[in-house]
Amino acid sequence: MTGTIVAPLEAGELPDVAAIRGPRLDQLLFITTGILVGVIVGLLASVAWVSTKAQFEESSARFRSQIEQQARELGQTVSHTLSLTSATSLRDNNYAFLSEVARSIITDNPNILRVQIYDADSQLAADSAPDAKLGTPTTRKPKRDWENGLFQGKPIIVYQEPIDYGSQSGQGLVVISYSMEVLQKQLSDLEETKRESLRRNATTMSGLGLGFVLLAGVLVAFQSRRITRPLGVLTGKVMQLAAGDLGARAEQARGAGREVTTLGVVFNHMAERIKVLLEDVRTKAQLERDVSLARTVQETLLPGREGFQAGPLRIAGLVVTADACGGDWWMRASLDERRVVVGIGDVTGHGLATALVATSATSGFTAAMTMRSPEELSAQVLISSLNVTMSHVGRGEHQMSSALAVIDVQTGVVDYASGGHPSPIVYNRLSRQVASLPARGALLGASASSQYASRQAQLRPGDVIVWYTDGLTESRDASQKQYGTQRLAAALQANAHLSAEGLRDAILADARAFSAGLPAQDDITVVVAEFSPASP
């Protein structure tokens, strides 16, 4: 497992922020706020314009209605009065007097443009117009009424009032044409007044709106600059940090808002964390280098993947670590021309410390074989020496299970001992029987005074011995079911025809298939020894 130190960016590797195009933040604030204020002022001005115009139009309509009402009342009053005064003259056929009366009304009231008086036979009896032809009939009915009309191209209101003068033919009729010219002029003056008022209001609102916009622009420019200046300083600090200056810190921003102040505080905290994390990364990288070195040393001390042949005995083993370094180890070596020793061990725990203890155990095992003459060495002597080594190396914090076997390749006698380690499985290819090499003993390293005893067994032609660590049998599948010794025995039986190397690899492959790709929780070690003496 290797790691990469995350180094600060060099100055040349920094992004080219000068090439970034677009408005600055203070410009965006100024533009957007100015547009917003302008829209608000425009809406207020539009509302004021519409409201003022509606008020003027309402006043104009009310004034027109009042003038028309006054004109109707005046015309009806005049027509009613003239109807009463004309009754006697019609009854006496004094039409000349009626014409004088009609002309005098026109003279006294300039708003009355024409007065006509008809008798009961609907014949024109009097007219204020000098060129009117008396006796002209009319289609008007003698009833009180009024209507709009035109007289000489001018708008008028025509009022009519019946005259009851006792004629057997019916009633006479008074018709008065009342001019609306004065009303039209008043309405025109009112409209002009309305337009002038609207212009003044528009000018006033425009001035006020422009003033508001200018005032808002000044305030926005001041406030945006007040906010963005600390952000600019903070941006510079970020660039310093990106350039590798881990001492870059932001000062407390005053008057820029809580968010900007919080951003500065968070930046300082982040810079401290980055500094700590980089130190952690450097420490971790150093640790990974140490672990890599320990793994290299461990792999150097352990036997390779190739099989080891000693007469009719062939041995092959492999350690598969769960981490970068493992706590498992195995060893095989020749004691003399006849005997071969096989050892396997599993140090409790994981990590670098466990790997160092396992490496020390491997070295101690090798050293134990050189401390005495080969004829004095046995499984009991070797495991006792290894226990003393573990007691000094582990100092009570680390213990180890181990199994040792001294095999006489000529006679097939096995001298074996164990310290808390799983018993190896023995399978005979000829009889297809499965057995084990059980032995008892305390875990190595628990006490330097622990006593161990060895036992002997006789190998038969076709026997295959499999040593393993508990990482194999305790590996689990997706349902948390353990691999177990029964499946190991089944894999051994199914692949017993293979060589020692092939059988070792088949057992490991079966364990991987059982775990269905799940990560290993413990180191796994498998050592296979096949005894195949030549037939006599």
Side-chain angles (χ1 to χ4, degrees):
M1 182 181 296
T2 59
T4 303
I5 298 179
V6 181
L9 290 173
E10 298 296 335
E13 296 176 327
L14 290 175
D16 186 10
V17 295
I20 300 176
R21 295 292 180 262
R24 300 193 309 271
L25 180 59
D26 56 342
Q27 295 174 339
L28 287 176
L29 288 174
F30 181 80
I31 294 173
T32 54
T33 307
I35 293 174
L36 179 61
V37 172
V39 170
I40 293 175
V41 171
L43 290 175
L44 292 176
S46 300
V47 171
W49 171 276
V50 173
S51 176
T52 303
K53 184 177 181 182
Q55 291 178 357
F56 272 110
E57 290 179 351
E58 182 181 358
S59 299
S60 176
R62 186 166 57 250
F63 179 74
R64 181 185 182 93
S65 176
Q66 291 175 353
I67 295 299
E68 289 180 347
Q69 181 67 23
Q70 292 174 1
R72 286 195 298 270
E73 292 177 353
L74 178 61
Q76 290 174 353
T77 299
V78 172
S79 61
H80 181 68
T81 302
L82 184 57
S83 171
L84 295 177
T85 57
S86 301
T88 302
S89 298
L90 284 176
R91 188 169 47 248
D92 297 337
N93 294 322
N94 191 3
Y95 296 160
F97 176 73
L98 291 176
S99 295
E100 290 296 331
V101 171
R103 283 192 289 272
S104 65
I105 292 175
I106 296 298
T107 302
D108 294 339
N109 194 339
N111 290 327
I112 298 178
L113 300 181
R114 187 176 184 180
V115 177
Q116 296 170 299
I117 300 175
Y118 293 91
D119 58 16
D121 296 327
S122 300
Q123 301 292 321
L124 182 61
D127 198 324
S128 60
D131 55 349
K133 185 177 181 180
L134 299 180
T136 302
T138 182
T139 59
R140 295 179 179 273
K141 303 298 181 181
K143 63 178 182 178
R144 175 176 290 183
D145 197 5
W146 68 273
E147 63 182 7
N148 293 317
L150 291 175
F151 179 75
Q152 297 178 353
K154 299 178 180 179
I156 61 173
I157 298 178
V158 180
Y159 301 95
Q160 63 181 45
E161 184 78 19
I163 305 174
D164 189 4
Y165 60 95
S167 174
Q168 294 181 354
S169 300
Q171 296 177 321
L173 182 65
V174 173
V175 180
I176 296 178
S177 299
Y178 193 89
S179 174
M180 296 297 294
E181 186 175 4
V182 175
L183 174 61
Q184 293 294 330
K185 185 176 184 307
Q186 291 176 340
L187 293 176
S188 177
D189 294 342
L190 181 62
E191 183 67 22
E192 181 62 29
T193 302
K194 180 186 74 173
R195 286 195 294 268
E196 182 63 26
S197 298
L198 290 176
R199 281 195 297 270
R200 287 199 302 270
N201 287 342
T203 302
T204 302
M205 291 299 297
S206 299
L208 290 175
L210 181 60
F212 282 134
V213 171
L214 292 177
L215 179 60
V218 173
L219 293 176
V220 169
F222 172 75
Q223 189 64 20
S224 63
R225 187 59 179 166
R226 189 180 184 184
I227 294 173
T228 55
R229 184 184 294 110
L231 289 176
V233 174
L234 184 59
T235 301
K237 296 297 182 181
V238 171
M239 295 300 296
Q240 292 180 19
L241 183 63
D245 183 5
L246 299 181
R249 297 294 183 271
E251 299 180 356
Q252 182 177 1
R254 300 184 181 276
R258 183 174 61 186
E259 291 79 3
V260 178
T261 303
T262 303
L263 187 60
V265 173
V266 172
F267 169 78
N268 291 338
H269 176 74
M270 180 184 66
E272 290 291 339
R273 291 294 301 158
I274 290 175
K275 185 176 181 180
V276 173
L277 289 175
L278 285 178
E279 291 297 329
D280 292 344
V281 169
R282 293 189 183 99
T283 303
K284 183 180 179 181
Q286 182 62 43
L287 179 61
E288 289 178 350
R289 286 194 292 269
D290 294 341
V291 171
S292 178
L293 178 60
R295 181 182 180 89
T296 301
V297 172
Q298 189 177 40
E299 291 177 348
T300 302
L301 294 177
L302 292 176
R305 297 179 60 96
E306 300 79 11
F308 173 77
Q309 189 75 40
L313 186 69
R314 186 170 185 81
I315 305 170
L318 186 65
V319 176
V320 179
T321 59
D323 297 324
C325 291
D328 283 9
W329 64 273
W330 81 281
M331 183 59 65
R332 66 336 176 240
S334 297
L335 291 180
D336 50 37
E337 296 179 355
R338 297 183 52 179
R339 294 187 301 166
V340 174
V341 61
V342 178
I344 187 172
D346 181 4
V347 181
T348 56
H350 300 279
L352 180 59
T354 302
L356 293 176
V357 173
T359 302
S360 299
T362 306
S363 301
F365 177 72
T366 304
M369 292 188 297
T370 62
M371 294 177 64
R372 299 186 184 187
S373 60
E375 58 271 9
E376 295 178 356
L377 296 178
S378 64
Q380 187 272 335
V381 171
L382 291 174
I383 199 168
S384 296
S385 299
L386 188 56
N387 176 59
V388 174
T389 302
M390 274 297 302
S391 299
H392 289 90
V393 174
R395 297 181 180 180
E397 297 181 3
H398 294 279
Q399 299 177 10
M400 178 178 70
S401 68
S402 181
L404 301 177
V406 178
I407 305 173
D408 190 322
V409 297
Q410 294 183 3
T411 64
V413 175
V414 181
D415 179 40
Y416 63 94
S418 175
H421 199 81
S423 300
I425 298 176
V426 181
Y427 176 75
N428 188 267
R429 291 171 173 169
L430 302 178
S431 65
R432 299 183 180 180
Q433 292 179 346
V434 178
S436 64
L437 299 178
R440 293 183 179 181
L443 287 173
L444 277 63
S447 173
S449 60
S450 297
Q451 298 297 317
Y452 297 90
S454 62
R455 302 179 67 178
Q456 287 75 39
Q458 177 65 53
L459 294 180
R460 296 170 298 172
D463 275 346
V464 177
I465 308 175
V466 178
W467 290 270
Y468 59 92
T469 57
D470 57 8
L472 175 66
T473 54
E474 292 179 1
S475 60
R476 300 175 183 271
D477 62 6
S479 63
Q480 296 302 305
K481 181 181 177 181
Q482 291 189 354
Y483 184 78
T485 55
Q486 291 185 353
R487 178 158 182 142
L488 172 59
L492 173 57
Q493 292 176 353
N495 300 280
H497 61 283
L498 299 175
S499 64
E501 297 94 320
L503 179 56
R504 173 202 63 193
D505 295 340
I507 292 174
L508 291 173
D510 186 64
R512 285 194 298 271
F514 176 79
S515 299
L518 295 177
Q521 300 299 316
D522 196 2
D523 304 328
I524 297 177
T525 301
V526 175
V527 180
V528 177
E530 57 173 332
F531 185 65
S532 303
S535 300

